Amino acid sequence: MSKQPTVSDIARLAHVSPSTVSRVLTGNSRVHPAKSAAVLAAIEQLNFRPNLTARALALGKSMVIGILTQSMMSQFYGELAQGIEDGLAGSGYQGVFASGHWESLDEQAALDILLARQVDGLIVLGGYHPDTALRAINKQIPLIAVGRHIEGLEDHCIRVENASGSFQAVRHLIDLGHRRIAHIGGIPSHLDACERQRGYTEALTSAGLAVDERLIVEGNFTEQSGLLALETLLARGSHFTAIFAANDQMAYGIRLGLYRRGLRVPDDISLVGFDDLLGSVYTTPPLTTVRQSMLEQGRQAARGLLRLLANEPPALPSITTELVIRETTARVRG
């Protein structure tokens, strides 16, 4: 096995001092353009790969960003993760992921692992970790949150126009003549779920329709919970002609449950989701849903954290939503 080239090898080839090579590698100070060019040419010629650990020690940084997610199996969190990677591209920072699995103990363990890695910053995707604990972490390293509100760190949290998006979805069903509209909600402690249910109730009341609590069933954002929530809804015996699900994954489970019951979508029951996951255009029939860009949220979270690391304001935008009408909604019959 050939010996890996060293800083001294580069210095000899470039006819500069080892300290000049180090300054070029770290970027900590200015180097004469001619010397910098010679060093870079020598690096390429020798196929030099810097020792990232040594570089991190020299810089006093780990060059690692911790990402606390909830489930890497979820397409929603997968798209967020891809957006974060896009946002970090070219920055020199590498993301490290740990999952909380929507369990408090798992989430604490995941955070402990990330913090033990001495990450330079943290991106929190949803979860239950207390605001007080996250505020304490933010005093040590910069933090950005997606999908949750942290009191006192509002400008560190990416906000999605959830209420207006769900209002549009339910208004669409009302305009099609639906008056008995059920709602399969998300985890009650989750900000997105609360705002989407608020948009649902506001759409009904603005149209002069009563909010029937028997038509509201709690889910947990998974396909299985959508299926189970539908069974609960049907067991109550309350009449409905449409369902608004708090996310697409639950809508997939609802769609399966309706199929098993011999109920056609949209002929018998109209169905609307929220998120516009990549697979929603390929369901049978294609799902009407509210689009929010998870990729863009991930990119903005990463860019906001990079700004914080540069001692700048995070400048996080509000993420807009858009109703995407496909083939799971139709005018109510009779």
Side-chain angles (χ1 to χ4, degrees):
M1 182 179 294
S2 61
K3 179 184 175 183
Q4 291 295 320
T6 66
V7 168
S8 295
D9 296 329
I10 297 169
R12 280 192 295 270
L13 184 60
H15 302 292
V16 298
S17 68
S19 62
T20 298
V21 176
S22 296
R23 289 199 299 274
V24 171
L25 289 173
T26 61
N28 279 347
S29 57
R30 294 177 63 85
V31 176
H32 190 280
K35 291 184 177 181
S36 179
V39 170
L40 293 174
I43 287 172
E44 183 176 359
Q45 183 176 336
L46 294 172
N47 194 29
F48 175 77
R49 295 293 180 268
N51 184 318
L52 295 180
T53 302
R55 182 184 179 188
L57 288 171
L59 291 172
K61 301 177 181 179
S62 69
M63 300 306 293
V64 173
I65 300 300
I67 299 104
L68 175 65
T69 182
Q70 294 305 317
S71 172
M72 292 304 293
M73 294 180 64
S74 162
Q75 188 178 345
F76 178 87
Y77 287 105
E79 290 187 39
L80 275 175
Q82 182 61 60
I84 292 170
E85 290 184 342
D86 291 349
L88 292 177
S91 69
Y93 284 93
Q94 179 70 40
V96 173
F97 293 81
S99 296
H101 309 116
W102 291 112
E103 295 288 344
S104 296
L105 292 178
D106 287 354
E107 191 172 324
Q108 180 62 64
L111 266 173
D112 290 343
I113 290 171
L114 292 173
L115 295 176
R117 292 283 306 263
Q118 296 186 318
V119 295
D120 293 330
L122 182 67
I123 298 175
V124 177
L125 308 180
Y128 297 126
H129 210 60
D131 287 2
T132 52
L134 293 178
R135 287 195 297 269
I137 290 173
N138 185 68
K139 291 180 180 178
Q140 305 300 320
I141 57 173
L143 178 151
I144 293 290
V146 181
R148 63 173 295 166
H149 171 85
I150 303 174
E151 187 175 352
L153 289 176
E154 288 81 3
D155 61 338
H156 288 229
C157 304
I158 288 184
R159 295 296 304 274
V160 177
E161 295 178 3
N162 287 295
S164 64
S166 57
F167 185 98
Q168 291 178 60
V170 177
R171 187 74 231 186
H172 167 63
L173 293 169
I174 293 170
D175 290 343
L176 290 172
H178 296 277
R179 296 295 180 267
R180 300 285 295 170
I181 302 169
H183 177 52
I184 307 301
I187 301 169
S189 60
H190 198 288
L191 176 65
D192 289 353
C194 295
E195 291 187 340
R196 290 171 197 178
Q197 184 163 328
R198 177 165 63 86
Y200 162 80
T201 58
E202 287 177 354
L204 292 177
T205 55
S206 70
L209 301 175
V211 177
D212 187 344
E213 294 295 332
R214 293 173 300 174
L215 294 181
I216 300 174
V217 182
E218 178 186 324
N220 67 5
F221 291 129
T222 65
E223 293 87 347
Q224 183 182 24
S225 77
L227 176 61
L228 294 175
L230 174 70
E231 293 301 320
T232 298
L233 186 63
L234 293 172
R236 290 177 180 176
S238 297
H239 173 67
F240 60 91
T241 61
I243 302 174
F244 167 54
N247 76 339
D248 284 3
Q249 287 176 252
M250 290 195 297
Y252 300 161
I254 294 166
R255 173 70 186 87
L256 174 60
L258 292 171
Y259 168 77
R260 287 177 173 174
R261 290 291 192 120
L263 294 169
R264 299 167 298 170
V265 176
D267 303 74
D268 300 317
I269 303 291
S270 284
L271 178 62
V272 181
F274 199 112
D275 288 338
D276 195 23
L277 297 178
L278 295 175
S280 294
V281 72
Y282 299 108
T283 59
T284 305
L287 182 67
T288 294
T289 185
V290 178
R291 176 180 294 157
Q292 61 163 326
S293 175
M294 283 71 75
L295 284 172
E296 184 61 19
Q297 289 179 64
R299 292 188 191 108
Q300 292 296 341
R303 292 167 185 166
L305 189 58
L306 291 175
R307 285 190 286 269
L308 286 173
L309 288 166
N311 295 315
E312 300 172 3
L316 299 175
S318 178
I319 304 298
T320 60
T321 56
E322 174 191 2
L323 178 65
V324 181
I325 300 173
R326 296 195 178 107
E327 300 172 37
T328 56
T329 51
R331 186 162 294 279
V332 68
R333 291 189 172 186

